[in-house]
Amino acid sequence: MRQIELNRMKTILIIEDDIMIQNALGELLRVSGYQVFQSCNGMEGVEKFKKNKVDLILLDIMMPEKDGFDVCREVREMSQVPIIILTALDEEDAEVKCFDLKADDYIVKPYSVRVVLKRIEAIFRRANVGNQQEEDCLVYENLKLDLASRTVYVNGKEVFLTRIEFDIVKYLIRNQGKVCTRYELLSEVWECEYCTGEREVNFHIMNLRKKGIQGIQTVRGIGYKIGK
């Protein structure tokens, strides 16, 4: 009951052309205490997003009229609402493209509904933690993280990071000099004990480096660290 009370005001938009999957997810989320909107194609999904207050989007890629890549691109022009990709495309290029379009997470079908729920809970939990009092900023060499506004600066210039990218950098800086395993990052940043997609960590680190976030060292066979 406590979980339902915490989540009852959150709204999730499902954009998925498979009606069985769409309805199954919708029912599961409603039972878990979320308000849910559903859409069968990308064009309709974008319109529903514009007309309703949405806290998170579950988005398929392969859809009629407008695919998930275009939906993600359009939503990002309007909002930084968290986007979780749910797709049958188990391809590296598709995954990288979604992260380049600033999606927050990528889950391949068939997936465990427990994993989907845990990922959603983790996103909302971090949002709540972000509203609590904590230190104003973290600084490492030319990198500054404003924790209150979740803004990142490299050499004084603002750089856009997704929610997960921001939390990875924050965790590494707070653990300077320590080697953080990929499993540890999945557990602490994604906050999901059922996560097994260590490859996701690699993609986010790659994207951080492309955005100019320097100083993240790869410790072969183990994980990543910042600092000596």
Side-chain angles (χ1 to χ4, degrees):
M1 294 300 295
R2 181 173 179 271
Q3 175 183 330
I4 293 177
E5 291 174 1
L6 286 172
N7 294 333
R8 68 177 181 270
M9 299 304 293
K10 299 296 184 183
T11 300
I12 296 176
L13 171 60
I14 303 171
I15 308 177
E16 164 67 65
D17 68 329
D18 187 315
I19 298 299
M20 292 183 63
I21 293 176
Q22 180 193 131
N23 288 338
L25 279 172
E27 181 63 24
L28 175 68
L29 293 171
R30 291 185 181 93
V31 169
S32 299
Y34 296 101
Q35 181 179 3
V36 179
F37 295 111
Q38 298 176 211
S39 176
C40 295
N41 63 71
M43 187 174 297
E44 181 186 62
V46 171
E47 290 305 310
K48 286 192 176 182
F49 176 77
K50 291 177 179 178
K51 294 177 181 178
N52 299 281
K53 176 176 172 52
V54 174
D55 298 297
L56 183 144
I57 297 174
L58 297 179
L59 177 62
D60 187 20
I61 292 179
M62 297 181 291
M63 295 183 295
E65 298 188 39
K66 191 187 295 287
D67 66 25
F69 297 125
D70 287 337
V71 172
C72 193
R73 186 180 295 107
E74 287 191 35
V75 169
R76 277 293 168 262
E77 291 174 354
M78 299 180 281
S79 170
Q80 298 306 313
V81 62
I83 299 174
I84 298 178
I85 304 295
L86 303 177
T87 179
L89 283 179
D90 187 12
E91 300 173 2
E92 181 176 314
D93 288 346
E95 191 167 356
V96 170
K97 183 174 181 179
C98 285
F99 287 133
D100 284 343
L101 290 171
K102 301 180 177 63
D104 294 273
D105 210 341
Y106 191 100
I107 304 176
V108 177
K109 301 174 183 176
Y111 47 74
S112 163
V113 292
R114 295 176 67 189
V115 168
V116 176
L117 280 175
K118 287 293 182 179
R119 300 280 181 95
I120 292 170
E121 290 171 10
I123 285 176
F124 289 141
R125 188 183 306 116
R126 275 189 291 272
N128 289 334
V129 170
N131 292 328
Q132 297 173 0
Q133 185 176 5
E134 58 179 348
E135 65 263 48
D136 292 334
C137 65
L138 292 174
V139 178
Y140 175 77
E141 295 184 350
N142 66 337
L143 183 64
K144 177 180 177 181
L145 276 66
D146 185 317
L147 300 179
S149 64
R150 296 182 68 83
T151 306
V152 180
Y153 300 91
V154 177
N155 293 322
K157 182 179 179 180
E158 184 175 349
V159 176
F160 173 84
L161 298 187
T162 67
R163 176 190 54 78
I164 286 179
E165 289 169 354
F166 183 94
D167 288 340
I168 288 174
V169 176
K170 181 173 72 172
Y171 188 81
L172 290 173
I173 291 177
R174 282 180 168 169
N175 291 275
Q176 283 185 45
K178 173 189 172 184
V179 178
C180 300
T181 68
R182 293 174 178 83
Y183 176 79
E184 179 182 351
L185 288 168
L186 283 166
S187 299
E188 297 296 331
V189 175
W190 277 256
E191 298 181 15
C192 177
E193 61 183 299
Y194 305 104
C195 294
T196 58
E198 295 185 0
R199 189 176 65 179
E200 296 180 33
V201 179
N202 300 338
F203 282 129
H204 283 292
I205 296 294
M206 177 186 68
N207 286 338
L208 285 167
R209 288 168 173 162
K210 287 170 60 177
K211 293 178 179 181
I213 307 300
Q214 304 300 317
I216 301 178
Q217 305 168 47
T218 300
V219 182
R220 183 172 296 182
I222 302 176
Y224 301 94
K225 72 172 183 176
I226 277 183
K228 298 180 179 180

